[in-house]
Amino acid sequence: MRENKKINEIEYVEIKNSSASAKIALQGAHIFEFKTRDKDELLWLSGESDFLLGKAIRGGIPLCWPRFGNLDKNMPQHGFAREAIFELVDIKELNENLTEVLFKLKESKESRKIWDYKFELEVKFSISDILEIELKTRNCDSKEFMITQAFHTYFKISNISNISINNLDKKYYLDTLDDKVKVQNREITIEQEVDRVYQGVENDIVLKDLDRTINIKSSGSKSVIVWNPWIEKSASMSGMSSEAYKEFVCIESANAFEDFVTLLPGESTELKVSYSQED
């Protein structure tokens, strides 16, 4: 079953099948709720999100594209896709437990003012007891272009003091708080502000939270970002309460920094991720 609804200024589609339910905004092709029948909500959504056009939703899974971060001064932080209105192309109920939702974005006069390329961006969500997302970029121009990108996923957690992030041991990462390259020597626990870009990651990541385990499986990328703003930054950020840092952790599958993708005319690339939960 699907329904088109609206929160404030933001139109979204609601999907329900026998396995799971989801809410996906047309702005940014942004999934902001996902819940399986027998598990807790997977994604964190800020209660401060005001759902206004032209303003990114705080929480869920924002799509960072065609840039991750703010290295390109001619472009908004994390690119323009998360504030663009996508076309809802199709919804397929493949069986009672699986629904596919397809969105598309093409260049516009507005996008070409800040990124002068012809492109086609497709986002496919597979809603079942596993959440799968595919982000496909196609170069429709006569010249090559470069992208960085990320699924900026906010996971809802019991408390930041209860979690650990596993399978990044021995990986190098850039600590963006002091701009130094370091090596991870153990599982990740968070006791202060964290903003790290792990490189050369091709294995699955595991988030453990009390009696719940979330498995993150990615393809088409070798970067993983781990982020929590902690106390001071949480209090100063838009769309976030001062206590919000306790409620979520971001683990982002990405092509970041030197893990960028260059596409020749006519070429395409796919970034994929799946999230599964177990007790």
Side-chain angles (χ1 to χ4, degrees), residues 104-259:
K104 185 179 291 186
L105 181 69
K106 293 186 176 183
E107 77 280 350
S108 64
K109 289 182 180 179
E110 290 74 22
S111 74
R112 297 203 71 161
K113 289 177 183 177
I114 56 177
W115 199 61
D116 193 19
Y117 297 99
K118 294 180 180 179
F119 66 86
E120 185 175 270
L121 185 63
E122 290 184 347
V123 190
K124 184 172 74 173
F125 297 88
S126 298
I127 308 298
S128 67
D129 58 344
I130 297 173
L131 173 60
E132 296 182 346
I133 313 174
E134 299 179 21
L135 183 65
K136 184 175 183 179
T137 304
R138 181 177 293 108
N139 184 346
C140 302
D141 214 309
S142 59
K143 53 186 180 293
E144 70 176 39
F145 61 64
M146 179 273 286
I147 62 169
T148 55
Q149 55 186 341
F151 295 117
H152 196 318
T153 307
Y154 290 77
F155 291 102
K156 184 178 181 180
I157 56 176
S158 61
N159 190 286
I160 194 67
S161 63
N162 295 333
I163 70 157
S164 66
I165 301 168
N166 299 265
N167 291 1
L168 288 169
D169 191 37
K170 309 303 181 186
K171 298 295 184 183
Y172 286 91
Y173 66 90
L174 175 66
D175 188 334
T176 67
L177 301 179
D178 60 15
D179 204 32
K180 294 182 179 179
V181 176
K182 303 174 183 178
V183 180
Q184 187 67 42
N185 289 319
R186 55 188 292 272
E187 66 181 14
I188 302 169
T189 55
I190 297 178
E191 300 171 341
Q192 59 187 356
E193 182 181 356
V194 171
D195 193 352
R196 303 173 181 174
V197 182
Y198 290 82
Q199 303 274 250
V201 181
E202 297 183 78
N203 50 282
D204 299 352
I205 309 301
V206 177
L207 170 60
K208 294 186 176 180
D209 178 16
L210 296 179
D211 57 356
R212 181 168 72 147
T213 298
I214 299 171
N215 299 297
I216 306 163
K217 182 179 179 63
S218 306
S219 65
S221 66
K222 294 182 181 179
S223 305
V224 171
I225 294 89
V226 176
W227 178 68
N228 183 280
W230 208 245
I231 300 169
E232 289 187 15
K233 190 168 287 186
S234 183
S236 66
M237 294 183 71
S238 63
M240 190 178 292
S241 72
S242 60
E243 297 292 300
Y245 74 95
K246 299 177 182 178
E247 303 169 356
F248 75 86
V249 65
C250 285
I251 306 173
E252 310 170 37
S253 303
N255 298 109
F257 299 141
E258 63 263 31
D259 183 28

Side-chain angles (χ1 to χ4, degrees), residues 7 12 23-25 30-34 43 45 51 57 60:
I7 301 178
Y12 69 94
K23 295 179 181 179
I24 311 169
H30 187 147
I31 185 167
F32 59 92
E33 287 188 18
F34 174 81
L43 305 174
L45 176 66
F51 286 82
I57 299 167

Side-chain angles (χ1 to χ4, degrees), residues 14-26:
E14 184 172 14
I15 303 297
K16 293 181 180 179
N17 59 39
S18 296
S19 291
S21 61
K23 295 179 181 179
I24 311 169
L26 274 64

